[in-house]
Amino acid sequence: MNYWYIQRLKTMTLPELVYRMGQWRQSNALKKEMGVRDAVPDCTVTPNLLPDCGHPLSATEHIDVFGIEIHPSDISDWSYDVHTQRSFPRAYAKNINIRTAANGSAKHVWELNRMLFLPRLAIQYRNTGDINYITVIMRLVSDWVKQNPYLTGINWHSNIEINIRLINWFLTWEILQADELMTRNSFFRDFLQGTWIPSIYQHCKFSHLHPSLHSSANNHLIAEYAGLFVASSKWVFKESRAWNRYAKQGLENEIFRQHSANGINREEAAEYIQFITDFLLIALLVGDYSGNPFTRAYKYMFRSILTYISNLLTIDGQIPRYGDEDDGRVFLLNNDVHDNNFVSLLQSGAIYFKEPGFLPNAKGPDQKNRLLFGNSAHTVFAQYKIPVTPVSSKFYPEDGHFFFKKRTAGGGEIYCHFDAAPLGYLSIAAHGHADALSFVLYMDGHPFLVDPGTYCYHTDTQWRHYFVSTRAHNTICIGGANQAGFVGPTLWVNHYKVNVKEYGLADDHEYVVASHTGYKKYRAYHTRKFEFFKPTNTILITDYIGGDNTTVEMPFHLHPAVEYELRGNRCMVSCAGRSMDMRLDPQMQWSVACGEVDPCLGWYSNRFYHKVPSPVIIGRMPCTSSLTLKTELVLS
């Protein structure tokens, strides 16, 4: 742990060290407020902001906590980890150590405490009129407030959790139409005024006092600004005007800082894109609905983000992975809690910008967009025909993302993402993986060559190290080392630089040449040329490697669902009627690894805290000076 703190300090600038000292002093001073219940604050409530969707709604009541299903009636301890069956202490929040598994996983506890399920209970009330749903909501929120006094316990530890909860409380309030409900239900009015509103105020106060700045200013900061903006737009306390200006300006700044000019999120974590974009979306809409709209520049960047999403997705709406993923959601408003939020966001873009080009193949808007946009959601679908656009490759050389695409006979697709992007964002690159010059391959939406995923953050060190490692990606690994220094669950040092040397887009031949500096300290280098010959559906990979007295590994991670047969330096891979002939470089010794644990190799994680054995075709050989390796993938 001391080593981690030393490495973490090295990532900080002098201004950040001064800021951190100020935060430490503030945290110590705030201990005296632990458990203090503020006097009921003066509050006026902005009338309903979300438009009436005017259509029947539906929702499931169950809660999925990383594969464990529970029901709202089962919740009794808000500090309880349902996976490890342990509870976090009721101590001062900032003193609780979340970097060990001693009390369970904070991630498990927070998933429940985000209250993503609460708006769905409100939907059930709207759909049925059953007052029992109001009773359940009142009980759950009252129990939460009672068990989590201000600054007490794990649920006051992280500011992002505070703000996700605020957003879900806002959505629950809006769906219930609580402004009107409180006028005809005295018990509900007393609950709002005596329990819920005072806790909302404390959440807003905490959000404003604990921003994630400097090297921590990633998706957490966007979440914090979005939650405070939404809450201060709805609930007007004496500080709300100042909070609102602060949060809105923060979002206006961070949407540009955390995205490239092409709308690509700088954290280099594909699944996080939907998470971050939902924060930006709910703030955008609340700004419009409250008469406090964001600037045209903000909206232009939001549109650029959606354009990148449309290029990122496969033909059937999947996201080829890169970087971390933890199944995080800002809110869950559809009946299917495992819905495709990327597709839903493209619907949001089509509705908001009135651009049918964003519309995925859907007959109408999903429930999330009906709730957020009201009747205008249907209007866009009804008025526009979805244009049939050709599948075409898209290169982002400035950002290091290259999407090779081809429409095949019968309406299928060859899809390949080549990653020549930076490690991650800011000095800690918290959610990046050491995956420079790696790639993934899909055919007709079926994954063939994959990024193995994430699996965990803090609780299983061995597995965390494996899933972020260079060996766990389809690139060259030299000397068994990572391309950057991994010193903690969300902390990288000695970041590599990637250089896109050359690229070309043509009807029959597309290519990119890139290198990185990740092995410079080992006096080694790696340059990769990645080519797609469209007429023959052939991918040619040429690797140029240099290094003295070292070993070279070339892994190809297969999806668990494919069938394969390795013979010498040829491997036939097939899935769902499509096949890939892998003609591997004969200089290397080729073998298969699957489900190995010492060391870890051959695993796939399709969701957080879940992993299965998965085959890796891996080549190994010594390198004494320089090598040129050629791999040919023939797709059919």
Side-chain angles (χ1 to χ4, degrees):
M1 185 60 69
N2 289 336
Y3 174 77
W4 180 89
Y5 279 113
I6 292 170
Q7 296 300 319
R8 184 66 178 91
L9 286 170
K10 289 180 180 179
T11 67
M12 299 182 188
T13 61
L14 181 59
E16 179 170 5
L17 288 170
V18 173
Y19 169 75
R20 297 287 179 183
M21 285 298 297
Q23 287 291 96
W24 179 79
R25 288 193 295 269
Q26 174 184 270
S27 178
N28 284 335
L30 285 173
K31 284 183 180 180
K32 65 179 183 295
E33 296 187 30
M34 176 180 166
V36 172
R37 182 176 174 85
D38 290 328
V40 177
D42 292 333
C43 178
T44 57
V45 181
T46 305
N48 281 353
L49 292 174
L50 295 185
D52 188 354
C53 67
H55 292 269
L57 305 170
S58 60
T60 58
E61 294 183 26
H62 81 271
I63 307 162
D64 187 330
V65 182
F66 303 119
I68 291 184
E69 185 175 308
I70 64 175
H71 190 272
S73 61
D74 299 328
I75 302 171
S76 59
D77 181 354
W78 290 97
S79 298
Y80 182 69
D81 175 357
V82 296
H83 283 252
T84 64
Q85 299 182 355
R86 282 175 279 181
S87 292
F88 279 82
R90 305 281 173 87
Y92 179 56
K94 292 297 183 180
N95 288 348
I96 297 174
N97 184 3
I98 66 167
R99 298 188 179 280
T100 73
N103 300 300
S105 168
K107 182 72 176 164
H108 290 146
V109 177
W110 289 339
E111 185 69 14
L112 185 66
N113 282 267
R114 289 178 173 185
M115 294 197 182
L116 303 179
F117 61 89
L118 209 66
R120 299 205 301 276
L121 294 176
I123 288 171
Q124 290 281 29
Y125 169 73
R126 277 278 297 275
N127 196 46
T128 65
D130 186 346
I131 199 67
N132 286 323
Y133 288 108
I134 302 295
T135 303
V136 171
I137 290 170
M138 290 168 58
R139 179 188 69 79
L140 291 169
V141 174
S142 296
D143 284 354
W144 191 94
V145 171
K146 183 178 179 180
Q147 292 182 32
N148 295 272
Y150 188 50
L151 303 178
T152 304
I154 190 65
N155 295 313
W156 288 98
H157 182 92
S158 173
N159 202 3
I160 189 174
E161 305 304 321
I162 300 296
N163 288 279
I164 293 175
R165 192 158 49 247
L166 269 177
I167 290 172
N168 280 282
W169 282 0
F170 162 78
L171 290 167
T172 301
W173 188 296
E174 288 287 303
I175 295 166
L176 287 176
Q177 297 179 335
D179 309 345
E180 187 273 332
L181 181 60
M182 66 186 294
T183 65
R184 51 188 172 83
N185 187 319
S186 60
F187 292 104
F188 187 65
R189 181 176 64 249
D190 292 344
F191 157 71
L192 296 186
Q193 295 175 346
T195 300
W196 207 359
I197 288 176
S199 190
I200 289 168
Y201 175 76
Q202 289 184 323
H203 277 63
C204 292
K205 184 169 67 171
F206 185 100
S207 175
H208 185 248
L209 284 173
H210 299 88
S212 300
L213 300 180
H214 297 284
S215 60
S216 297
N218 52 16
N219 67 86
H220 285 235
L221 188 58
I222 285 179
E224 292 154 11
Y225 286 142
L228 188 57
F229 177 79
V230 167
S232 60
S233 298
K234 179 65 181 180
W235 298 287
V236 184
F237 306 104
K238 63 180 180 179
E239 301 94 340
S240 287
R241 182 174 295 180
W243 287 341
N244 198 261
R245 286 197 302 267
Y246 156 84
K248 184 182 179 186
Q249 188 58 57
L251 285 170
E252 291 275 7
N253 293 337
E254 291 305 314
I255 195 173
F256 289 96
R257 287 175 181 160
Q258 298 194 35
H259 295 86
S260 75
N262 290 313
I264 302 176
N265 187 263
R266 299 186 191 277
E267 288 201 71
E268 299 301 338
E271 198 257 354
Y272 264 72
I273 293 172
Q274 59 81 25
F275 183 63
I276 294 164
T277 308
D278 258 350
F279 286 118
L280 300 172
L281 171 64
I282 192 66
L284 174 66
L285 295 179
V286 168
D288 284 353
Y289 296 152
S290 63
N292 184 22
F294 284 80
T295 62
R296 291 177 65 183
Y298 180 99
K299 295 176 182 180
Y300 181 85
M301 178 54 76
F302 185 77
R303 185 186 179 281
S304 297
I305 294 168
L306 295 175
T307 300
Y308 178 70
I309 290 174
S310 68
N311 287 312
L312 173 67
L313 299 186
T314 66
I315 194 171
D316 62 343
Q318 295 186 68
I319 54 151
R321 298 156 157 182
Y322 57 84
D324 271 348
E325 56 184 3
D326 62 10
D327 304 336
R329 295 290 293 270
V330 182
F331 42 82
L332 290 168
L333 299 179
N334 284 324
N335 192 40
D336 178 7
V337 298
H338 301 294
D339 65 332
N340 188 327
N341 198 39
F342 284 92
V343 172
S344 182
L345 281 165
L346 292 181
Q347 287 192 15
S348 301
I351 296 164
Y352 188 84
F353 293 107
K354 296 181 173 59
E355 293 189 26
F358 280 128
L359 285 173
N361 186 20
K363 296 180 179 179
D366 60 17
Q367 182 167 277
K368 169 189 170 183
N369 282 298
R370 289 194 283 122
L371 281 163
L372 295 180
F373 290 96
N375 289 328
S376 63
H378 292 275
T379 302
V380 171
F381 275 84
Q383 289 182 348
Y384 297 101
K385 292 183 178 179
I386 303 173
V388 178
T389 56
V391 171
S392 58
S393 299
K394 178 66 177 179
F395 285 6
Y396 294 95
E398 307 91 343
D399 304 296
H401 289 281
F402 297 83
F403 300 98
F404 297 83
K405 300 183 183 182
K406 178 188 174 182
R407 178 64 60 86
T408 58
E413 176 195 52
I414 293 172
Y415 175 110
C416 189
H417 171 236
F418 180 77
D419 187 345
L423 175 64
Y425 185 50
L426 300 175
S427 61
I428 62 174
H431 293 295
H433 289 188
D435 57 1
L437 312 190
S438 66
F439 72 100
V440 296
L441 174 67
Y442 285 62
M443 285 195 280
D444 298 347
H446 299 287
F448 275 65
L449 293 168
V450 297
D451 179 315
T454 298
Y455 179 61
C456 67
Y457 286 162
H458 295 96
T459 51
D460 295 286
T461 303
Q462 176 190 18
W463 292 109
R464 178 61 172 162
H465 276 257
Y466 170 68
F467 278 99
V468 303
S469 71
T470 300
R471 279 183 102 215
H473 296 86
N474 301 317
T475 186
I476 294 292
C477 180
I478 298 178
N482 286 328
Q483 298 161 338
F486 187 66
V487 295
T490 51
L491 178 58
W492 291 95
V493 296
N494 302 321
H495 300 190
Y496 52 75
K497 292 183 180 179
V498 182
N499 178 26
V500 175
K501 297 182 174 182
E502 188 181 350
Y503 63 91
L505 273 168
D507 290 340
D508 59 350
H509 179 220
E510 299 169 348
Y511 72 96
V512 58
V513 181
S515 64
H516 68 85
T517 63
Y519 293 119
K520 185 177 181 180
K521 64 181 178 181
Y522 302 109
R523 298 181 180 179
Y525 66 84
H526 176 211
T527 298
R528 172 168 277 185
K529 184 175 185 180
F530 193 94
E531 301 176 85
F532 183 26
F533 296 91
K534 287 190 168 182
T536 59
N537 294 341
T538 300
I539 292 171
L540 179 63
I541 305 166
T542 307
D543 290 294
Y544 306 95
I545 303 159
D548 293 330
N549 298 316
T550 188
T551 58
V552 173
E553 294 180 319
M554 179 186 289
F556 291 97
H557 295 265
L558 302 178
H559 188 271
V562 304
E563 296 181 354
Y564 67 94
E565 183 179 8
L566 176 66
R567 291 187 177 182
N569 67 313
R570 293 286 291 274
C571 185
M572 293 300 301
V573 184
S574 61
C575 180
R578 301 301 301 268
S579 64
M580 173 175 65
D581 181 2
M582 303 179 68
R583 301 171 184 178
L584 307 167
D585 195 292
Q587 299 175 79
M588 305 193 90
Q589 294 294 317
W590 293 94
S591 61
V592 179
C594 187
E596 296 183 4
V597 295
D598 188 21
C600 297
L601 186 63
W603 294 89
Y604 181 76
S605 174
N606 69 336
R607 64 179 186 269
F608 210 57
Y609 286 116
H610 181 263
K611 65 183 184 300
V612 296
S614 188
V616 180
I617 311 300
I618 186 165
R620 296 182 175 93
M621 69 177 300
C623 179
T624 57
S625 57
S626 62
L627 287 171
T628 298
L629 302 173
K630 289 184 178 291
T631 306
E632 191 175 21
L633 308 178
V634 181
L635 313 175
S636 59

mmCIF file of all heavy atoms in Angstrom, residues 453-479:
data_model
loop_
_atom_site.group_PDB
_atom_site.id
_atom_site.type_symbol
_atom_site.label_atom_id
_atom_site.label_comp_id
_atom_site.label_asym_id
_atom_site.label_seq_id
_atom_site.Cartn_x
_atom_site.Cartn_y
_atom_site.Cartn_z
ATOM 1 N N GLY A 453 -11.540 -8.345 -21.967
ATOM 2 C CA GLY A 453 -12.421 -7.678 -21.029
ATOM 3 C C GLY A 453 -11.702 -7.124 -19.814
ATOM 4 O O GLY A 453 -10.501 -6.819 -19.854
ATOM 5 N N THR A 454 -12.421 -7.027 -18.685
ATOM 6 C CA THR A 454 -11.908 -6.360 -17.485
ATOM 7 C C THR A 454 -11.986 -7.231 -16.238
ATOM 8 O O THR A 454 -11.040 -7.336 -15.476
ATOM 9 C CB THR A 454 -12.676 -5.045 -17.245
ATOM 10 O OG1 THR A 454 -12.459 -4.162 -18.353
ATOM 11 C CG2 THR A 454 -12.217 -4.367 -15.961
ATOM 12 N N TYR A 455 -13.118 -7.807 -15.967
ATOM 13 C CA TYR A 455 -13.407 -8.690 -14.830
ATOM 14 C C TYR A 455 -13.499 -7.978 -13.482
ATOM 15 O O TYR A 455 -14.498 -8.090 -12.786
ATOM 16 C CB TYR A 455 -12.397 -9.834 -14.745
ATOM 17 C CG TYR A 455 -12.668 -10.756 -13.566
ATOM 18 C CD1 TYR A 455 -13.871 -11.456 -13.479
ATOM 19 C CD2 TYR A 455 -11.743 -10.912 -12.543
ATOM 20 C CE1 TYR A 455 -14.138 -12.284 -12.402
ATOM 21 C CE2 TYR A 455 -12.000 -11.744 -11.461
ATOM 22 C CZ TYR A 455 -13.205 -12.428 -11.384
ATOM 23 O OH TYR A 455 -13.478 -13.237 -10.317
ATOM 24 N N CYS A 456 -12.466 -7.239 -13.046
ATOM 25 C CA CYS A 456 -12.508 -6.655 -11.704
ATOM 26 C C CYS A 456 -11.616 -5.427 -11.634
ATOM 27 O O CYS A 456 -10.839 -5.153 -12.558
ATOM 28 C CB CYS A 456 -12.095 -7.665 -10.646
ATOM 29 S SG CYS A 456 -10.345 -8.159 -10.765
ATOM 30 N N TYR A 457 -11.701 -4.712 -10.525
ATOM 31 C CA TYR A 457 -10.832 -3.566 -10.258
ATOM 32 C C TYR A 457 -9.917 -3.824 -9.048
ATOM 33 O O TYR A 457 -8.754 -4.120 -9.190
ATOM 34 C CB TYR A 457 -11.654 -2.298 -10.010
ATOM 35 C CG TYR A 457 -12.273 -1.688 -11.239
ATOM 36 C CD1 TYR A 457 -13.319 -0.776 -11.127
ATOM 37 C CD2 TYR A 457 -11.831 -1.998 -12.516
ATOM 38 C CE1 TYR A 457 -13.896 -0.202 -12.246
ATOM 39 C CE2 TYR A 457 -12.397 -1.439 -13.644
ATOM 40 C CZ TYR A 457 -13.439 -0.529 -13.500
ATOM 41 O OH TYR A 457 -14.002 0.035 -14.613
ATOM 42 N N HIS A 458 -10.472 -3.711 -7.840
ATOM 43 C CA HIS A 458 -9.661 -3.675 -6.627
ATOM 44 C C HIS A 458 -9.537 -5.002 -5.880
ATOM 45 O O HIS A 458 -8.603 -5.175 -5.105
ATOM 46 C CB HIS A 458 -10.233 -2.636 -5.645
ATOM 47 C CG HIS A 458 -10.164 -1.225 -6.136
ATOM 48 N ND1 HIS A 458 -11.229 -0.621 -6.763
ATOM 49 C CD2 HIS A 458 -9.157 -0.318 -6.107
ATOM 50 C CE1 HIS A 458 -10.881 0.618 -7.093
ATOM 51 N NE2 HIS A 458 -9.636 0.827 -6.710
ATOM 52 N N THR A 459 -10.455 -5.914 -6.075
ATOM 53 C CA THR A 459 -10.569 -7.024 -5.126
ATOM 54 C C THR A 459 -9.706 -8.242 -5.448
ATOM 55 O O THR A 459 -9.434 -9.044 -4.565
ATOM 56 C CB THR A 459 -12.036 -7.473 -5.026
ATOM 57 O OG1 THR A 459 -12.537 -7.698 -6.347
ATOM 58 C CG2 THR A 459 -12.870 -6.406 -4.341
ATOM 59 N N ASP A 460 -9.285 -8.418 -6.715
ATOM 60 C CA ASP A 460 -8.508 -9.596 -7.108
ATOM 61 C C ASP A 460 -7.284 -9.142 -7.889
ATOM 62 O O ASP A 460 -7.313 -9.056 -9.117
ATOM 63 C CB ASP A 460 -9.362 -10.551 -7.957
ATOM 64 C CG ASP A 460 -10.517 -11.142 -7.174
ATOM 65 O OD1 ASP A 460 -10.261 -12.014 -6.341
ATOM 66 O OD2 ASP A 460 -11.662 -10.715 -7.406
ATOM 67 N N THR A 461 -6.205 -8.888 -7.166
ATOM 68 C CA THR A 461 -5.012 -8.278 -7.765
ATOM 69 C C THR A 461 -4.482 -9.078 -8.946
ATOM 70 O O THR A 461 -4.153 -8.521 -9.996
ATOM 71 C CB THR A 461 -3.914 -8.126 -6.700
ATOM 72 O OG1 THR A 461 -4.422 -7.339 -5.620
ATOM 73 C CG2 THR A 461 -2.690 -7.465 -7.285
ATOM 74 N N GLN A 462 -4.399 -10.392 -8.779
ATOM 75 C CA GLN A 462 -3.852 -11.239 -9.840
ATOM 76 C C GLN A 462 -4.652 -11.087 -11.132
ATOM 77 O O GLN A 462 -4.077 -10.949 -12.219
ATOM 78 C CB GLN A 462 -3.853 -12.697 -9.386
ATOM 79 C CG GLN A 462 -3.384 -13.686 -10.447
ATOM 80 C CD GLN A 462 -3.629 -15.137 -10.035
ATOM 81 O OE1 GLN A 462 -4.424 -15.410 -9.138
ATOM 82 N NE2 GLN A 462 -2.939 -16.060 -10.678
ATOM 83 N N TRP A 463 -5.967 -11.113 -10.996
ATOM 84 C CA TRP A 463 -6.817 -11.032 -12.181
ATOM 85 C C TRP A 463 -6.823 -9.634 -12.772
ATOM 86 O O TRP A 463 -6.877 -9.472 -13.999
ATOM 87 C CB TRP A 463 -8.230 -11.486 -11.842
ATOM 88 C CG TRP A 463 -8.288 -12.949 -11.547
ATOM 89 C CD1 TRP A 463 -8.493 -13.534 -10.338
ATOM 90 C CD2 TRP A 463 -8.098 -14.016 -12.484
ATOM 91 N NE1 TRP A 463 -8.453 -14.904 -10.454
ATOM 92 C CE2 TRP A 463 -8.215 -15.236 -11.757
ATOM 93 C CE3 TRP A 463 -7.840 -14.071 -13.850
ATOM 94 C CZ2 TRP A 463 -8.078 -16.471 -12.370
ATOM 95 C CZ3 TRP A 463 -7.710 -15.305 -14.465
ATOM 96 C CH2 TRP A 463 -7.835 -16.493 -13.718
ATOM 97 N N ARG A 464 -6.777 -8.629 -11.930
ATOM 98 C CA ARG A 464 -6.710 -7.263 -12.446
ATOM 99 C C ARG A 464 -5.451 -7.088 -13.291
ATOM 100 O O ARG A 464 -5.488 -6.526 -14.387
ATOM 101 C CB ARG A 464 -6.731 -6.262 -11.282
ATOM 102 C CG ARG A 464 -6.606 -4.785 -11.700
ATOM 103 C CD ARG A 464 -7.745 -4.363 -12.595
ATOM 104 N NE ARG A 464 -7.730 -2.933 -12.847
ATOM 105 C CZ ARG A 464 -8.378 -2.348 -13.836
ATOM 106 N NH1 ARG A 464 -9.103 -3.060 -14.680
ATOM 107 N NH2 ARG A 464 -8.326 -1.046 -13.993
ATOM 108 N N HIS A 465 -4.325 -7.578 -12.784
ATOM 109 C CA HIS A 465 -3.065 -7.470 -13.509
ATOM 110 C C HIS A 465 -3.147 -8.184 -14.853
ATOM 111 O O HIS A 465 -2.603 -7.690 -15.854
ATOM 112 C CB HIS A 465 -1.917 -8.040 -12.673
ATOM 113 C CG HIS A 465 -1.350 -7.075 -11.689
ATOM 114 N ND1 HIS A 465 -0.163 -6.423 -11.889
ATOM 115 C CD2 HIS A 465 -1.815 -6.629 -10.485
ATOM 116 C CE1 HIS A 465 0.095 -5.624 -10.870
ATOM 117 N NE2 HIS A 465 -0.893 -5.742 -9.996
ATOM 118 N N TYR A 466 -3.809 -9.340 -14.886
ATOM 119 C CA TYR A 466 -3.877 -10.070 -16.148
ATOM 120 C C TYR A 466 -4.720 -9.335 -17.192
ATOM 121 O O TYR A 466 -4.275 -9.128 -18.330
ATOM 122 C CB TYR A 466 -4.449 -11.477 -15.944
ATOM 123 C CG TYR A 466 -4.761 -12.150 -17.266
ATOM 124 C CD1 TYR A 466 -3.729 -12.528 -18.125
ATOM 125 C CD2 TYR A 466 -6.079 -12.353 -17.680
ATOM 126 C CE1 TYR A 466 -4.002 -13.104 -19.359
ATOM 127 C CE2 TYR A 466 -6.350 -12.931 -18.910
ATOM 128 C CZ TYR A 466 -5.314 -13.303 -19.747
ATOM 129 O OH TYR A 466 -5.577 -13.857 -20.981
ATOM 130 N N PHE A 467 -5.917 -8.953 -16.831
ATOM 131 C CA PHE A 467 -6.842 -8.435 -17.833
ATOM 132 C C PHE A 467 -6.416 -7.090 -18.422
ATOM 133 O O PHE A 467 -6.844 -6.745 -19.522
ATOM 134 C CB PHE A 467 -8.258 -8.350 -17.250
ATOM 135 C CG PHE A 467 -8.986 -9.663 -17.276
ATOM 136 C CD1 PHE A 467 -9.062 -10.455 -16.148
ATOM 137 C CD2 PHE A 467 -9.586 -10.124 -18.431
ATOM 138 C CE1 PHE A 467 -9.732 -11.676 -16.162
ATOM 139 C CE2 PHE A 467 -10.253 -11.342 -18.472
ATOM 140 C CZ PHE A 467 -10.334 -12.132 -17.332
ATOM 141 N N VAL A 468 -5.594 -6.328 -17.714
ATOM 142 C CA VAL A 468 -5.123 -5.055 -18.283
ATOM 143 C C VAL A 468 -3.788 -5.220 -19.013
ATOM 144 O O VAL A 468 -3.313 -4.289 -19.651
ATOM 145 C CB VAL A 468 -4.974 -3.963 -17.200
ATOM 146 C CG1 VAL A 468 -6.289 -3.739 -16.467
ATOM 147 C CG2 VAL A 468 -3.855 -4.280 -16.213
ATOM 148 N N SER A 469 -3.199 -6.404 -18.932
ATOM 149 C CA SER A 469 -1.829 -6.590 -19.404
ATOM 150 C C SER A 469 -1.733 -6.626 -20.921
ATOM 151 O O SER A 469 -2.716 -6.872 -21.637
ATOM 152 C CB SER A 469 -1.250 -7.888 -18.829
ATOM 153 O OG SER A 469 -1.868 -9.022 -19.441
ATOM 154 N N THR A 470 -0.519 -6.438 -21.422
ATOM 155 C CA THR A 470 -0.268 -6.528 -22.856
ATOM 156 C C THR A 470 -0.525 -7.940 -23.365
ATOM 157 O O THR A 470 -1.057 -8.135 -24.466
ATOM 158 C CB THR A 470 1.173 -6.096 -23.157
ATOM 159 O OG1 THR A 470 1.355 -4.741 -22.713
ATOM 160 C CG2 THR A 470 1.481 -6.178 -24.634
ATOM 161 N N ARG A 471 -0.169 -8.960 -22.571
ATOM 162 C CA ARG A 471 -0.394 -10.360 -22.983
ATOM 163 C C ARG A 471 -1.876 -10.666 -23.193
ATOM 164 O O ARG A 471 -2.215 -11.610 -23.903
ATOM 165 C CB ARG A 471 0.141 -11.322 -21.923
ATOM 166 C CG ARG A 471 1.627 -11.566 -21.966
ATOM 167 C CD ARG A 471 2.018 -12.593 -20.922
ATOM 168 N NE ARG A 471 2.256 -13.912 -21.487
ATOM 169 C CZ ARG A 471 1.972 -15.044 -20.884
ATOM 170 N NH1 ARG A 471 1.393 -15.035 -19.694
ATOM 171 N NH2 ARG A 471 2.249 -16.199 -21.445
ATOM 172 N N ALA A 472 -2.744 -9.904 -22.566
ATOM 173 C CA ALA A 472 -4.179 -10.144 -22.673
ATOM 174 C C ALA A 472 -4.793 -9.399 -23.855
ATOM 175 O O ALA A 472 -6.016 -9.212 -23.902
ATOM 176 C CB ALA A 472 -4.883 -9.741 -21.376
ATOM 177 N N HIS A 473 -3.962 -8.999 -24.807
ATOM 178 C CA HIS A 473 -4.464 -8.278 -25.976
ATOM 179 C C HIS A 473 -3.767 -8.784 -27.232
ATOM 180 O O HIS A 473 -2.682 -9.371 -27.168
ATOM 181 C CB HIS A 473 -4.250 -6.770 -25.795
ATOM 182 C CG HIS A 473 -5.022 -6.200 -24.645
ATOM 183 N ND1 HIS A 473 -4.540 -6.209 -23.353
ATOM 184 C CD2 HIS A 473 -6.259 -5.649 -24.594
ATOM 185 C CE1 HIS A 473 -5.443 -5.668 -22.549
ATOM 186 N NE2 HIS A 473 -6.492 -5.328 -23.273
ATOM 187 N N ASN A 474 -4.383 -8.547 -28.363
ATOM 188 C CA ASN A 474 -3.885 -9.064 -29.633
ATOM 189 C C ASN A 474 -2.813 -8.138 -30.205
ATOM 190 O O ASN A 474 -3.013 -7.448 -31.202
ATOM 191 C CB ASN A 474 -5.038 -9.229 -30.624
ATOM 192 C CG ASN A 474 -6.104 -10.177 -30.106
ATOM 193 O OD1 ASN A 474 -5.780 -11.229 -29.561
ATOM 194 N ND2 ASN A 474 -7.360 -9.807 -30.252
ATOM 195 N N THR A 475 -1.675 -8.129 -29.532
ATOM 196 C CA THR A 475 -0.537 -7.331 -29.958
ATOM 197 C C THR A 475 0.737 -8.098 -29.615
ATOM 198 O O THR A 475 0.670 -9.255 -29.176
ATOM 199 C CB THR A 475 -0.564 -5.940 -29.299
ATOM 200 O OG1 THR A 475 0.481 -5.131 -29.839
ATOM 201 C CG2 THR A 475 -0.429 -6.023 -27.786
ATOM 202 N N ILE A 476 1.881 -7.488 -29.800
ATOM 203 C CA ILE A 476 3.164 -8.122 -29.500
ATOM 204 C C ILE A 476 3.560 -7.816 -28.057
ATOM 205 O O ILE A 476 3.526 -6.660 -27.617
ATOM 206 C CB ILE A 476 4.256 -7.630 -30.456
ATOM 207 C CG1 ILE A 476 3.964 -8.095 -31.885
ATOM 208 C CG2 ILE A 476 5.629 -8.118 -30.002
ATOM 209 C CD1 ILE A 476 4.072 -9.598 -32.102
ATOM 210 N N CYS A 477 3.956 -8.865 -27.339
ATOM 211 C CA CYS A 477 4.468 -8.710 -25.976
ATOM 212 C C CYS A 477 5.951 -9.078 -25.976
ATOM 213 O O CYS A 477 6.322 -10.169 -26.389
ATOM 214 C CB CYS A 477 3.699 -9.601 -25.004
ATOM 215 S SG CYS A 477 4.238 -9.480 -23.290
ATOM 216 N N ILE A 478 6.800 -8.154 -25.527
ATOM 217 C CA ILE A 478 8.249 -8.356 -25.539
ATOM 218 C C ILE A 478 8.752 -8.570 -24.115
ATOM 219 O O ILE A 478 8.454 -7.790 -23.212
ATOM 220 C CB ILE A 478 8.968 -7.156 -26.182
ATOM 221 C CG1 ILE A 478 8.533 -7.009 -27.649
ATOM 222 C CG2 ILE A 478 10.485 -7.311 -26.094
ATOM 223 C CD1 ILE A 478 9.144 -5.815 -28.354
ATOM 224 N N GLY A 479 9.484 -9.652 -23.918
ATOM 225 C CA GLY A 479 10.076 -9.935 -22.617
ATOM 226 C C GLY A 479 9.064 -10.173 -21.512
ATOM 227 O O GLY A 479 9.398 -10.056 -20.322
#
